[in-house]
Amino acid sequence: QDIEPFSMTFALRFAQYAYHSACFGKLHHMGPDQMQGWTRRFSGDMEVADAFIPGRVEAEFARYQREDGVGKWSNQKEIERAGIGDSWVNRFDRRAREAAQDYVLDHFCGSDHDRPTRHRPLLLKLSLLQPHYPYQIDAERFNYYLNRVPIYQEACCEHPRLSRTQMGPDVQATTRDIRRVTAAYYGMIDSMDDHYARLAASLAEVGEDLDEWIIVYTSDHGEMLGQHGIWEKTQFYEASVKVPLIISWPKGFAGGRRLSENVNLCDLFATLCDLCDIPMPAGTDSRSLAPLLRGSDQPWDNVTISQLGDDYMVKRDALKLIDFSGHAPAVLFDLERDPAEQNNYIDNTAYAGALSKLQEQLSSYRSLQRKSD
């Protein structure tokens, strides 16, 4: 992404403390600093975007234009073509997982030239594209999930095999269409599980005790899958903004627990540093989740903030404020009272006090942004 080269990242911080920081799969670093702190990287998306090419000759770029109709598929076409297939996404993930397995063998065994690097600790990241569109998966998984997946009721229409209903501004689909998309999506998640299981098996094969590993499983965003008539991401509904976050460390945590506190992916920076006894650099917004993971009774500020362009989400406890910076009316959801996010309580006087606190939190966040700029 477009951030300053050699910015402080959790990968760089761990590398500073003698870790081998190895990433396999998607990173989406499109600028001149392709590593962003990783000391080893294998990725099919390692490329510098046109905008970052120094001295690019605009007249030459203008000579080469795509033909009409070439580019990202529309949401309509994504739905129509969902089903059985082996897309570039699946191939990307296979290569990334295989490269990670090769690296594990070299790092812990190095048997070809007797050059293992296991004397230094390892930060290993496998980033998969799935379950990203195009929604395609192998026949076995697709057929397994096709008649098993739940679909959103608002996606259904009265005569699903004969008629199509409007599913958002750019999509018309039948119940069967939605079921096919959802089955492919489930199948891709199943495929992801298999990739991670294979990597874990490779670690065990070279003699690693997985109970000693801190393993984090998460995602950058969700998928609307037609809920609220929306496809892909780019919305602050729970289906898009709420992601899995599983942290496993059997020899570090006493038992397992499921937490409901509001946290943010940026909190992983401080959390990993805390768990690995690495000093956290100053000037970050990251909060360590270690006290929550260990069952500490110390107070937790149960708020999180997310931003997408000029759109903001502030969530405290079960209340979620979505602010569109004036280009659309603000929305207030009460997830405890209305988990399906169907009702906007922004004008409900019973929420005036809580709304004021959320707006104050957002204002404080924006002030910090202006100072950093």
Side-chain angles (χ1 to χ4, degrees), residues 10 13-14 17 19 121-123 212-216 249 253 268-280 288 290 294:
F10 74 92
R13 191 59 167 173
F14 274 69
Y17 281 78
Y19 275 71
L122 174 61
L123 171 66
E212 295 179 347
W213 279 68
I214 300 170
I215 300 177
V216 179
W249 189 18
F253 304 137
L268 285 174
F269 195 153
T271 303
L272 293 174
C273 285
D274 193 351
L275 297 179
C276 296
D277 296 322
I278 292 177
M280 185 65 185
S288 175
R294 292 184 171 125

Side-chain angles (χ1 to χ4, degrees), residues 192-213:
M192 290 172 57
D193 291 345
D194 182 66
H195 285 309
Y196 289 122
R198 289 177 183 233
L199 179 57
S202 292
L203 288 166
E205 287 169 5
V206 297
E208 287 299 292
D209 182 355
L210 292 178
D211 285 352
E212 295 179 347
W213 279 68

Side-chain angles (χ1 to χ4, degrees), residues 76-132:
Q76 183 70 47
K77 189 176 288 187
E78 293 288 357
I79 292 167
E80 292 172 351
R81 300 194 179 183
I84 298 171
D86 188 30
S87 74
W88 68 275
V89 169
N90 307 81
R91 299 192 297 272
F92 181 102
D93 286 352
R94 282 199 300 272
R95 290 193 296 268
R97 185 257 301 161
E98 290 168 355
Q101 288 179 290
D102 287 342
Y103 179 81
V104 164
L105 181 62
D106 292 337
H107 175 77
F108 289 101
C109 296
S111 53
D112 294 338
H113 286 92
D114 199 20
R115 293 177 180 174
T117 55
R118 61 179 301 163
H119 59 285
R120 285 168 52 187
L122 174 61
L123 171 66
L124 176 65
K125 184 172 184 281
L126 175 59
S127 295
L128 303 180
L129 284 176
Q130 296 177 91
H132 197 281

Side-chain angles (χ1 to χ4, degrees), residues 60-256:
E60 290 300 308
F61 278 84
R63 291 177 56 196
Y64 306 100
Q65 300 294 327
R66 285 176 170 170
E67 60 184 278
D68 292 340
V70 174
K72 180 185 178 298
W73 284 355
S74 65
N75 286 330
Q76 183 70 47
K77 189 176 288 187
E78 293 288 357
I79 292 167
E80 292 172 351
R81 300 194 179 183
I84 298 171
D86 188 30
S87 74
W88 68 275
V89 169
N90 307 81
R91 299 192 297 272
F92 181 102
D93 286 352
R94 282 199 300 272
R95 290 193 296 268
R97 185 257 301 161
E98 290 168 355
Q101 288 179 290
D102 287 342
Y103 179 81
V104 164
L105 181 62
D106 292 337
H107 175 77
F108 289 101
C109 296
S111 53
D112 294 338
H113 286 92
D114 199 20
R115 293 177 180 174
T117 55
R118 61 179 301 163
H119 59 285
R120 285 168 52 187
L122 174 61
L123 171 66
L124 176 65
K125 184 172 184 281
L126 175 59
S127 295
L128 303 180
L129 284 176
Q130 296 177 91
H132 197 281
Y133 52 79
Y135 306 109
Q136 296 177 357
I137 197 60
D138 60 88
E140 182 179 0
R141 287 186 171 94
F142 180 77
N143 290 333
Y144 177 85
Y145 286 108
L146 182 60
N147 295 319
R148 288 181 166 91
V149 293
I151 60 175
Y152 297 108
Q153 288 301 310
E154 67 238 42
C156 299
C157 52
E158 186 175 355
H159 301 291
R161 295 182 185 275
L162 300 176
S163 60
R164 300 165 77 83
T165 187
Q166 197 72 30
M167 284 295 301
D170 60 345
V171 170
Q172 287 190 335
T174 67
T175 300
R176 189 66 172 176
D177 295 330
I178 308 302
R179 188 172 297 282
R180 289 177 62 86
V181 175
T182 309
Y185 188 83
Y186 273 55
M188 295 174 92
I189 295 175
D190 192 316
S191 175
M192 290 172 57
D193 291 345
D194 182 66
H195 285 309
Y196 289 122
R198 289 177 183 233
L199 179 57
S202 292
L203 288 166
E205 287 169 5
V206 297
E208 287 299 292
D209 182 355
L210 292 178
D211 285 352
E212 295 179 347
W213 279 68
I214 300 170
I215 300 177
V216 179
Y217 175 87
T218 190
S219 175
D220 55 345
H221 59 79
E223 160 64 51
M224 294 302 298
L225 280 179
Q227 190 177 12
H228 297 282
I230 299 171
W231 298 92
E232 299 183 28
K233 47 179 178 177
T234 70
Q235 299 290 335
F236 287 122
Y237 286 112
E238 290 291 276
S240 176
V241 77
K242 188 176 182 180
V243 300
L245 178 56
I246 302 171
I247 302 178
S248 171
W249 189 18
K251 291 195 174 179
F253 304 137

Side-chain angles (χ1 to χ4, degrees), residues 1 3-12 27 29 31-38:
Q1 297 287 0
I3 63 175
E4 286 296 317
F6 309 108
S7 295
M8 177 54 68
T9 65
F10 74 92
L12 177 58
L27 274 179
H29 294 163
D33 181 8
Q34 290 287 302
M35 302 302 283
Q36 296 288 342
W38 298 97

